[in-house]
Amino acid sequence: LAFRWALDKPWDYMARVNASCYVHKRRLREYVQDLPEKGLIRGVIADPTEHCQVKRPWMWGGGQFILSRDVVEAIVANAGRIKHWLMEDTALGEIAQDCGFTLDGGGKVCSINLQPDGSWIVMGYGGGPSFTMSEPGDIPDHHFIRVKYDPDRSVDGKIMQLLKTHLKP
């Protein structure tokens, strides 16, 4: 339903993110300028496992997605074929492939986590650096930053605020 609603708006690409993602909007806008205009479902691809219940590669939701408008149109047109028993990220990759699109593993995301010693580790997925910082600062090369501190979820909001403060606009 959200995809159907979005198709009433003017756009070329959709960033499908989740609540644990900080989006650096300027970098994302710059990043999409050179992407293919059609047939794009880009993210971080995971290999199938017994737990994901599919036999094909799938898009990891924690890596966020970028979809071209035609892919979203195809998903909406084929909504009755979505495998709702799968996790949402896996189901989106499945329906896109069922509609004839190829998953693009060129996604670029990082996660940031607080370490026990008080430092911050930035893990790059799909390109971009992984590194450690003593204090939160600018995180180069990434437009999607996953913020999901599993040991203490109350830290998530603090990390989001730190990113807003420290990332260069």
Side-chain angles (χ1 to χ4, degrees):
L1 291 175
F3 282 9
R4 184 173 293 126
W5 173 86
L7 288 172
D8 289 336
K9 313 293 180 216
W11 53 272
D12 297 319
Y13 301 99
M14 175 185 286
R16 179 278 191 196
V17 299
N18 54 42
S20 64
C21 180
Y22 183 93
V23 179
H24 194 293
K25 293 176 186 175
R26 178 186 49 82
R27 288 184 191 161
L28 178 59
R29 190 173 40 255
E30 291 169 357
Y31 179 77
V32 300
Q33 298 307 308
D34 296 322
L35 294 180
E37 293 179 17
K38 300 221 179 262
L40 183 72
I41 177 167
R42 178 173 283 185
V44 176
I45 296 178
D47 290 328
T49 69
E50 63 181 89
H51 302 292
C52 67
Q53 302 178 14
V54 295
K55 303 214 181 297
R56 298 183 282 195
W58 55 282
M59 302 292 282
W60 172 51
Q64 321 312 320
F65 302 171
I66 298 175
L67 303 104
S68 57
R69 187 177 188 91
D70 64 316
V71 172
V72 175
E73 290 170 342
I75 290 169
V76 168
N78 290 279
R81 296 173 54 199
I82 294 175
K83 299 170 184 168
H84 291 286
W85 61 90
L86 296 173
M87 291 294 289
E88 177 264 348
D89 52 0
T90 308
L92 278 177
E94 282 289 291
I95 189 67
Q97 290 176 93
D98 290 347
C99 290
F101 299 105
T102 301
L103 303 182
D104 179 335
K108 197 171 172 182
V109 64
C110 70
S111 65
I112 183 169
N113 288 294
L114 180 62
Q115 299 300 292
D117 66 0
S119 66
W120 299 86
I121 186 164
V122 176
M123 298 292 299
Y125 301 95
S130 295
F131 57 92
T132 302
M133 308 183 271
S134 58
E135 294 182 24
D138 196 32
I139 299 172
D141 301 317
H142 294 288
H143 47 269
F144 293 144
I145 302 168
R146 187 166 196 237
V147 176
K148 192 172 180 186
Y149 187 67
D150 289 327
D152 181 356
R153 298 310 302 274
S154 70
V155 174
D156 295 358
K158 176 184 176 184
I159 297 172
M160 289 278 194
Q161 288 297 324
L162 288 168
L163 289 171
K164 184 177 180 180
T165 300
H166 293 284
L167 287 178
K168 297 174 184 167

